[in-house]
Amino acid sequence: NSYFFYSFMVTKLEDWREPVDTARQKVFDTVNAIGANLFRELCPQYPYLTNCVATVLESWVERHVPVMETRIEEAFKQEEDPFVSTNELSDEIVRVRAERFDRALNVVVKAAGEGSSKKKGAAADEELEAFKNHISQHLGQWYMANHGVSAAALIEDMRTVLTAYWRLSAKRL
């Protein structure tokens, strides 16, 4: 699933370039419009000053267009291959899997421990063996559901990869 995700990212990333460029332009247009109109509303008695503020603001926006374009291009470059630059994505995938395993382990241990008692000797050994069997059986089911070769396991694995990617990409933006 990691390789599917990678190939999907490579093929779909360029689909976002036009909407991102459109959004960037709309942000700059909105900054210009709000700045000029705000000053015009606050100080209608100073039309020349309003025009000067609008000109300064427009100049500021024009100076920052290349900065924003560079930053956007860097983001696209980084997203082209989320696996190569660092091991962040792989590490995050492992973290997500570990979190899910911990949750499953807690549920299984809690369910297994609900019937436990303070037995001693052979009875305690028997209870411990039953506890181990319960955990093995239920975690085995969990493992196969999350890492097996079934369609459900593949979906769960893709969900894990997407969760990890989302966590990392949200930090970058």
Side-chain angles (χ1 to χ4, degrees):
N1 271 335
S2 297
Y3 295 109
F4 173 77
F5 174 76
Y6 171 76
S7 66
F8 177 79
M9 286 300 296
V10 169
T11 58
K12 294 299 180 186
L13 187 62
E14 282 303 312
D15 292 349
W16 284 94
R17 191 170 295 277
E18 185 179 336
V20 167
D21 288 342
T22 300
R24 176 193 46 81
Q25 186 57 50
K26 286 183 179 181
V27 166
F28 286 139
D29 291 346
T30 302
V31 167
N32 280 329
I34 289 174
N37 289 331
L38 183 64
F39 204 80
R40 188 173 295 117
E41 289 295 318
L42 292 175
C43 305
Q45 67 274 27
Y46 302 110
Y48 180 73
L49 188 57
T50 299
N51 289 338
C52 287
V53 168
T55 302
V56 168
L57 185 60
E58 191 172 317
S59 173
W60 180 88
V61 166
E62 286 174 8
R63 281 194 320 272
H64 286 82
V65 165
V67 173
M68 182 64 93
E69 287 173 344
T70 300
R71 178 87 166 94
I72 290 170
E73 193 56 39
E74 288 170 356
F76 272 99
K77 284 285 184 208
Q78 185 171 10
E79 298 308 316
E80 280 178 359
D81 194 355
F83 291 103
V84 172
S85 58
T86 66
N87 288 332
E88 282 182 317
L89 183 57
S90 298
D91 293 345
E92 192 63 31
I93 290 169
V94 169
R95 251 189 304 283
V96 170
R97 287 180 177 150
E99 289 169 6
R100 290 185 179 163
F101 178 78
D102 287 344
R103 284 194 301 269
L105 180 61
N106 288 336
V107 168
V108 170
V109 168
K110 183 179 177 188
E114 286 176 354
S116 67
S117 64
K118 306 278 186 212
K119 297 178 182 177
K120 300 206 187 289
D125 291 342
E126 187 178 301
E127 189 172 290
L128 179 60
E129 196 59 37
F131 182 74
K132 288 179 183 177
N133 287 336
H134 177 82
I135 289 176
S136 292
Q137 179 185 6
H138 287 85
L139 285 183
Q141 291 171 358
W142 176 87
Y143 183 85
M144 288 309 293
N146 284 277
H147 302 289
V149 291
S150 68
L154 293 174
I155 291 169
E156 189 60 32
D157 190 49
M158 182 54 75
R159 187 173 150 244
T160 299
V161 173
L162 290 172
T163 299
Y165 178 75
W166 180 256
R167 286 182 185 176
L168 292 175
S169 63
K171 289 178 191 175
R172 288 193 294 264
L173 299 176

